[in-house]
Amino acid sequence: MKLTAKLLTAAALLTASATAMAHSGHAEGGFTSGLLHPMLGLDHLLAMAAIGFWSVRQSKHMKNATPAFVIGGMILGATLAWGGLSLPGVETGITFSVLVAGILIATLAKLPTAVGGTLVGAFMLFHGFAHGAEMPAGATLAAYLAGFSIATLAITLVGRGLGSLMLKADSRFSRGVGGVLAAAGAYLAAA
């Protein structure tokens, strides 16, 4: 079995098992809460999957570095929230990330690693801040961080897997997915 297929299978199983574990009021030290948080917010789910999808058409270096940019931005954002700092426009940044990621996919845009990495890191900074600010009282910081990091990587890898499948298809399918994501981002921004 190819490594990509193994990663996709693991990510899908993790996503499915995390959804099955959803029980409100059980922090489980924070791990379960952290694991579920990215999967229960449509904006988070769409942005992370879109970034994975988009990364497939990027240079090998950008594609390989995308998970590090995603997790780095998430951890930095969460650390800002846990440090008591404020980040203006968090919800706008989150919805903007869905909109822009959709546009990047729809236009089949290829960005230099420095630009793409900065953009992904900035998007995830907003998502990470929201995750950090919404950590349940009594949750263990390390467990919560581990949970949302694993979920974030799983969602990003699922997006990457879908993007890889679309590489074999007509580019109109990828453009259509990007258009739907951009429309979802616009809807979330207007809501």
Side-chain angles (χ1 to χ4, degrees):
M1 186 182 264
K2 289 184 180 179
L3 178 60
T4 303
K6 288 179 183 178
L7 289 173
L8 285 174
T9 302
L13 290 173
L14 177 62
T15 303
S17 67
T19 303
M21 292 187 306
H23 296 286
S24 62
H26 299 291
E28 299 296 328
F31 181 77
T32 302
S33 296
L35 195 66
L36 292 174
H37 191 266
M39 291 188 237
L40 297 178
L42 182 62
D43 48 2
H44 297 303
L45 191 62
L46 290 176
M48 293 167 201
I51 287 169
F53 192 103
W54 169 78
S55 73
V56 170
R57 291 187 182 271
Q58 302 310 299
S59 69
K60 183 176 182 178
H61 190 260
M62 179 64 204
K63 180 180 174 182
N64 292 337
T66 295
F69 291 131
V70 167
I71 290 300
M74 291 285 289
I75 291 172
L76 180 59
T79 302
L80 292 175
W82 293 328
L85 300 172
S86 86
L87 182 63
V90 171
E91 289 304 317
T92 302
I94 290 170
T95 56
F96 188 68
S97 69
V98 177
L99 174 66
V100 172
I103 292 169
L104 290 172
I105 293 167
T107 60
L108 306 177
K110 291 187 179 185
L111 299 177
T113 301
V115 174
T118 301
L119 191 60
V120 169
F123 287 165
M124 292 299 103
L125 179 79
F126 289 107
H127 290 270
F129 190 90
H131 290 336
E134 296 169 8
M135 184 173 84
T140 305
L141 188 132
Y144 185 72
L145 175 66
F148 81 66
S149 295
I150 289 169
T152 296
L153 284 174
I155 295 164
T156 303
L157 289 175
V158 167
R160 181 178 284 185
L162 293 172
S164 293
L165 291 173
M166 291 293 180
L167 277 177
K168 297 175 178 121
D170 189 317
S171 66
R172 290 180 290 184
F173 291 116
S174 289
R175 290 179 186 276
V177 168
V180 168
L181 286 167
Y187 173 77
L188 290 169

